[in-house]
Amino acid sequence: MNKVFGFISHLFGFERLSQYENDYLHDANIRSCSYMGFIVVVLEAWMLVRQTYSKIIPKYQAGGDLFELFVKYTSKYWLFLLIGLGLMLFCLFYQRDQKLSKGKFITLFSIGTACMLYTAVLKLESFTKAGDSITPVMASIMNAMLILVYVFLFVIGVSIVTYVLFKYLKNKNIVVLEHVAIIAFTLVCLAFGIFVSYSDFWGGKEIICFLTMVLYVGCLLIYRPYVTILILGACFMGFYKILLTYQGGLTFQKQDIVISGVTQKIISGDSVNYVTFFISLATICFAIYHGRLKEARKSKELEKSAKEDQLTGLYNYSYFSELAADRIRNLSGDFGENVLLFIDVHNFKAFNDQRGFEEGDRFLVKFGEYLSDIFRGSLFARQADDHFVVMTKTDGLLEKLNALNELVHGYDNEILLGINCGAYHLSSNTEDPRMSIDRARYAAHMIKNRFQTIYIEYDKTMSEAYHKRLYIINNIDNAVKNAWIVPFYQPVVWSETGELCGCEVLARWMDPVYGQLFPNEFIPVLEEYRLIHKLDKAIFEFACRDLRAALDAGRPVVPISLNFSRLDFELMDAVTELDSLAAKYNIDRALIHVEVTESALTDNFTKLVEAMNRIKELGYSLWLDDFGSGYSSLNVLKDYQFDVIKIDMRFLSNLESSEKARTLIDCIIKMANRINMLTLTEGVETEVQAEFLNKVGCNRLQGYLFGKPMPKDALYERIEKGELVVSDKCL
Ligand code: C2E
Ligand code: CA
Ligand code: CA
């Protein structure tokens, strides 16, 4: 029963609509009104021309008074023209939520005044008198209708003037006027339809005007179906009743038509037509209403997804930036009181690793709620991952951040969570919110791994480093194009013989402004901004080119190992890129080793697994870089097929003093051998380390002891001098 009731209430439009849906339908109505206004204007202009030629000119030539004739024969048309024009203009320039501008105010004010003046100068002569072809009933109906319209117009004129004046002085929106516009259109159209159809009634033929107007209202304007049905139903009933008056009183003597009997037939035929037409119109109204509502809902979804972050329901970053830009522009007074925050969740990666992504997501949603509670009234959003941004006032900021930190802290009693917040104080109202957030983010980055420090402000001392970062981001393309990016080569040797068996390719950025930049300065930045693939692609190409040149020159060559960032596999088809470079420079795949760090492989991202398999299938040697520096090393060993494990240099740091460190390395090497993998230890700086590693069976060594990363020419110089001996079995 409830379901049936629900369905009916839905069908007839009794259900509550959201503000958005109401607004959507309202906007659609306003648009429709501008089309209707246009039609009315054209129609009335045509009528005015017609009246002028057919009535006014002949009668004027016959000695009539021009003004009187004018009022008598055109006043109705001017009336409709005026309303049509006013509404058309109003609706044409309509914009949701727009304050009343000066131009709009003047337009509306003049329309209102014109309406009032027009009705004030009307003379009674323009009323219809009963006579030859017009019965007293018809004349009084027409006059009553005309009076109604005049009164209505006068009231509208007064209301528009007062209302507009009031809203203009108070700097407010003019929503009510929009409703008035729509209602006025509805009434005027229906009145016009009834009026014209009735006054020109000719054996049922001019019913067309009534039906056209009813169609305008029923199909162009969207009211709730029950409202449309009520309004249209009343019109149909009323019009039908009026028509029936023909039966008794009216005879078309002038045209010599015998009415009784014939007219009876026409009217009963019409009555069936009315009912059928009314029913089909009602059905169309249902369809249009529900169609529009569906559209409204869809557009709401779209609009929502354009503004909202899907996971947390907070604003997304791009919408935040838009709103923040607006707020910043409108700021006055002390700009420094306004601050942009970048909040990063401390230790979130660990939380995600241990609790899983679903739990991670749940935490982020909760974090959004904390943020909404604490920064109520401020502007905030989720930027990406576990990064949130806020635009707020400095007043009470630290208390708020402490409260937020406490909440985050208490979320999980095993994994230590917290916040790192960077703040940037605005200095003018021309600042770009994205740049400001970026500075706040930079500041937050400075305290990333400090659990105790939750807040830091961006200041002058950070500015230099920050600009360097910006410079890197903005100049990566230049650096590639102008070959500021250069491959350096660090020797890798056989631990048994100390002979050169390979070189790791390490990037250097020889900058015209900053001089030589090291990877720790540009790699993390490029990764953060997802630009790292540009660098890597360039480095791979430069290294392949160097190798080709050496081969062409008949120099001894050793395999090169290339560093792949995890993002390379996301941002480009890294394997295809590499393979086409190898093909382009005609380099044997065995001369290229691919280094991937274990942290890149921790989650089983399908694309990565596929890429690793392809690397192996194509015949490149796959090396696991920085083994032992992350969490899940052993799983990585199980899941992927590596040829060589590069043991992280941190294992060597206390090799001499720590028995434990020595045992650990020994075990790692034995384990690797058991699963058919070779080993390389990085960061070898002393003879003692090298001897030990050789003793425990580590195959390859790399470190300052054998050479720092150096340009290609320096490498060849060392080979030529005999400081480095190229092994004859490098593979
Ligand atoms: P990595 O792949 O672990 O490279 C080894 C780093 O250790 C190099 O630093 C190297 O100079 C340094 N190193 C080598 N032997 C010793 C030693 O005996 N003692 C000490 N203290 N350090 C040693 P570098 O060149 O600064 O590179 C740092 C990191 O930057 C690299 O670590 C690698 O992860 C990344 N990287 C370098 N070039 C590229 C590149 O072209 N693409 C990508 N994606 N990453 C690169
Ligand atoms: Ca490496
Ligand atoms: Ca390494």
Side-chain angles (χ1 to χ4, degrees):
M1 194 61 205
N2 261 356
K3 263 193 178 162
V4 175
F5 185 74
F7 175 73
I8 291 178
S9 111
H10 165 72
L11 185 68
F12 281 84
F14 286 109
E15 62 193 337
R16 249 185 98 87
L17 295 188
S18 68
Q19 185 61 39
Y20 185 92
E21 288 156 352
N22 272 327
D23 288 351
Y24 188 90
L25 297 183
H26 178 72
D27 291 353
N29 278 350
I30 291 275
R31 269 197 311 279
S32 303
C33 279
S34 61
Y35 313 143
M36 290 164 86
F38 176 71
I39 295 170
V40 171
V41 168
V42 172
L43 203 71
E44 298 311 319
W46 178 60
M47 289 304 284
L48 279 174
V49 173
R50 212 178 78 156
Q51 288 296 82
T52 311
Y53 277 99
S54 67
K55 301 261 167 67
I56 301 178
I57 294 179
K59 296 210 176 183
Y60 174 64
Q61 282 163 351
D65 176 60
L66 187 63
F67 182 70
E68 256 171 37
L69 286 170
F70 195 71
V71 172
K72 183 169 176 185
Y73 290 105
T74 62
S75 59
K76 294 161 212 149
Y77 305 109
W78 281 115
L79 170 84
F80 290 123
L81 181 79
L82 192 69
I83 296 177
L85 192 67
L87 288 179
M88 185 182 85
L89 290 177
F90 178 72
C91 299
L92 218 54
F93 295 110
Y94 161 80
Q95 252 176 341
R96 169 152 294 283
D97 294 337
Q98 212 195 36
K99 298 272 182 296
L100 199 54
S101 65
K102 199 167 176 184
K104 210 164 173 182
F105 167 73
I106 292 172
T107 318
L108 285 170
F109 194 84
S110 348
I111 291 174
T113 324
C115 285
M116 284 196 295
L117 286 180
Y118 174 77
T119 42
V121 297
L122 277 177
K123 287 193 175 178
L124 280 181
E125 279 93 287
S126 65
F127 285 82
T128 315
K129 290 189 191 81
D132 296 348
S133 65
I134 298 184
T135 63
V137 186
M138 190 175 162
S140 51
I141 290 173
M142 283 166 71
N143 289 337
M145 224 137 46
L146 209 58
I147 290 175
L148 263 179
V149 175
Y150 287 159
V151 170
F152 180 68
L153 189 68
F154 188 75
V155 174
I156 289 235
V158 175
S159 324
I160 290 183
V161 169
T162 343
Y163 183 77
V164 162
L165 209 61
F166 175 76
K167 292 286 173 178
Y168 186 65
L169 295 178
K170 292 231 151 188
N171 193 20
K172 288 253 173 68
N173 295 331
I174 41 171
V175 190
V176 175
L177 262 194
E178 293 154 15
H179 289 286
V180 171
I182 297 169
I183 293 169
F185 240 114
T186 309
L187 296 180
V188 169
C189 281
L190 293 174
F192 176 76
I194 294 177
F195 179 81
V196 172
S197 276
Y198 184 76
S199 61
D200 285 352
F201 186 75
W202 191 260
K205 290 203 181 88
E206 273 67 23
I207 186 76
I208 298 279
C209 182
F210 171 70
L211 295 184
T212 312
M213 286 299 148
V214 163
L215 267 180
Y216 267 4
V217 173
C219 298
L220 274 183
L221 296 178
I222 306 144
Y223 290 103
R224 306 284 184 114
Y226 75 91
V227 178
T228 325
I229 289 169
L230 281 179
I231 297 178
L232 298 186
C235 286
F236 271 88
M237 292 262 290
F239 191 59
Y240 185 58
K241 278 257 152 12
I242 292 171
L243 281 187
L244 286 183
T245 59
Y246 278 106
Q247 220 182 332
L250 199 67
T251 46
F252 292 89
Q253 284 158 350
K254 253 194 160 172
Q255 282 77 20
D256 290 318
I257 292 175
V258 182
I259 278 303
S260 53
V262 180
T263 316
Q264 185 68 42
K265 222 172 155 191
I266 291 170
I267 287 178
S268 58
D270 274 348
S271 71
V272 174
N273 286 343
Y274 296 149
V275 176
T276 333
F277 190 79
F278 175 66
I279 293 176
S280 42
L281 190 59
T283 327
I284 293 172
C285 292
F286 282 128
I288 293 182
Y289 171 77
H290 287 290
R292 269 296 152 82
L293 208 57
K294 214 177 202 172
E295 255 170 46
R297 289 185 180 143
K298 211 184 258 166
S299 116
K300 185 181 179 185
E301 281 305 308
L302 280 179
E303 201 163 298
K304 219 172 106 185
S305 64
K307 288 178 183 170
E308 248 180 35
D309 168 55
Q310 293 217 321
L311 178 66
T312 58
L314 302 184
Y315 286 149
N316 61 29
Y317 188 50
S318 76
Y319 192 57
F320 169 89
S321 314
E322 241 175 72
L323 294 181
D326 239 29
R327 287 199 185 186
I328 294 175
R329 251 196 315 277
N330 293 325
L331 282 180
S332 55
D334 186 4
F335 301 113
E337 268 180 16
N338 298 282
V339 61
L340 283 145
L341 307 179
F342 176 89
I343 304 176
D344 178 23
V345 180
H346 179 88
N347 227 8
F348 181 70
K349 297 273 173 298
F351 182 86
N352 236 351
D353 281 349
Q354 289 180 46
R355 298 273 188 259
F357 281 113
E358 259 176 48
E359 270 302 316
D361 282 356
R362 221 164 287 147
F363 167 77
L364 292 175
V365 172
K366 196 76 198 162
F367 189 90
E369 288 169 18
Y370 295 156
L371 211 60
S372 317
D373 282 345
I374 292 176
F375 287 100
R376 196 175 294 276
S378 301
L379 191 60
F380 45 84
R382 175 168 171 231
Q383 192 199 38
D385 309 321
D386 55 336
H387 302 156
F388 294 81
V389 292
V390 183
M391 177 176 176
T392 188
K393 301 267 177 207
T394 39
D395 203 26
L397 179 61
L398 284 183
E399 288 77 11
K400 287 179 183 163
L401 288 173
N402 277 323
L404 181 64
N405 193 47
E406 281 307 305
L407 286 171
V408 171
H409 207 39
Y411 187 82
D412 191 298
N413 35 27
E414 283 166 32
I415 302 172
L416 213 53
L417 292 168
I419 59 166
N420 291 135
C421 173
Y424 177 74
H425 292 268
L426 291 174
S427 60
S428 79
N429 59 357
T430 53
E431 292 204 65
D432 174 1
R434 282 179 183 262
M435 291 287 280
S436 311
I437 284 291
D438 212 46
R439 290 184 175 128
R441 165 166 147 168
Y442 182 75
H445 209 73
M446 300 274 117
I447 52 167
K448 194 166 172 54
N449 294 316
R450 281 193 261 154
F451 191 66
Q452 276 84 2
T453 325
I454 64 167
Y455 179 73
I456 184 167
E457 288 179 5
Y458 178 89
D459 59 23
K460 281 221 169 64
T461 54
M462 280 179 209
S463 175
E464 197 180 314
Y466 173 77
H467 282 109
K468 196 171 187 179
R469 253 164 64 104
L470 261 193
Y471 177 86
I472 289 167
I473 298 159
N474 293 333
N475 284 285
I476 176 68
D477 290 327
N478 279 338
V480 168
K481 197 171 75 202
N482 302 329
W484 299 342
I485 305 278
V486 182
F488 268 39
Y489 298 89
Q490 185 177 31
V492 175
V493 301
W494 290 122
S495 87
E496 273 184 349
T497 59
E499 284 175 351
L500 187 71
C501 62
C503 278
E504 177 170 9
V505 179
L506 294 158
R508 296 291 180 268
W509 179 317
M510 304 299 182
D511 194 79
V513 179
Y514 286 102
Q516 179 170 339
L517 297 174
F518 285 86
N520 62 349
E521 291 173 281
F522 55 84
I523 299 236
V525 184
L526 293 175
E527 284 186 330
E528 199 178 327
Y529 285 82
R530 302 174 75 84
L531 297 166
I532 185 72
H533 60 298
K534 296 192 174 188
L535 173 112
D536 280 341
K537 216 172 128 183
I539 275 289
F540 298 166
E541 171 134 30
F542 297 154
C544 287
R545 196 183 332 170
D546 285 351
L547 198 54
R548 180 76 263 162
L551 286 165
D552 288 347
R555 287 173 147 171
V557 293
V558 290
I560 50 172
S561 34
L562 301 173
N563 286 288
F564 278 69
S565 158
R566 180 210 152 94
L567 285 173
D568 287 339
F569 300 100
E570 270 182 51
L571 300 171
M572 61 180 178
D573 184 352
V575 186
T576 308
E577 291 287 348
L578 173 70
D579 206 47
S580 46
L581 283 174
K584 179 174 170 188
Y585 292 97
N586 188 20
I587 286 168
D588 186 347
R589 288 175 182 143
L591 283 177
I592 297 176
H593 304 150
V594 173
E595 288 191 19
V596 184
T597 60
E598 62 165 42
S599 58
L601 301 167
T602 43
D603 49 273
N604 248 352
F605 175 48
T606 15
K607 243 188 185 167
L608 267 179
V609 181
E610 280 167 19
M612 295 305 119
N613 290 338
R614 260 190 79 207
I615 291 173
K616 289 286 302 169
E617 279 161 20
L618 288 172
Y620 296 98
S621 181
L622 185 59
W623 292 19
L624 177 61
D625 202 359
D626 298 345
F627 178 78
S629 63
Y631 296 104
S632 41
S633 352
L634 296 178
N635 261 334
V636 168
L637 286 183
K638 179 167 69 63
D639 296 341
Y640 298 92
Q641 274 300 308
F642 293 104
D643 299 287
V644 174
I645 300 176
K646 289 187 84 170
I647 300 168
D648 195 69
M649 62 183 81
R650 263 169 287 182
F651 282 103
L652 291 185
S653 58
N654 51 358
L655 191 81
E656 279 93 344
S657 60
S658 164
E659 172 70 31
K660 218 185 199 171
R662 289 195 295 266
T663 314
L664 213 54
I665 290 192
D666 187 16
C667 290
I668 293 172
I669 291 167
K670 289 207 165 69
M671 174 193 71
N673 290 340
R674 286 280 300 272
I675 51 175
N676 293 325
M677 294 182 189
L678 297 177
T679 49
L680 182 162
T681 306
E682 295 184 82
V684 181
E685 291 182 352
T686 64
E687 289 288 356
V688 180
Q689 290 170 342
E691 255 165 49
F692 169 78
L693 289 164
N694 181 31
K695 200 180 80 197
V696 292
C698 181
N699 310 92
R700 291 174 165 97
L701 305 177
Q702 176 185 352
Y704 292 171
L705 181 65
F706 314 102
K708 289 190 170 184
M710 57 193 110
K712 152 189 92 176
D713 293 338
L715 182 74
Y716 277 109
E717 208 181 294
R718 293 194 61 181
I719 294 174
E720 271 152 28
K721 278 190 191 154
E723 288 169 16
L724 283 171
V725 180
V726 178
S727 161
D728 50 14
K729 47 178 195 355
C730 289
L731 305 172

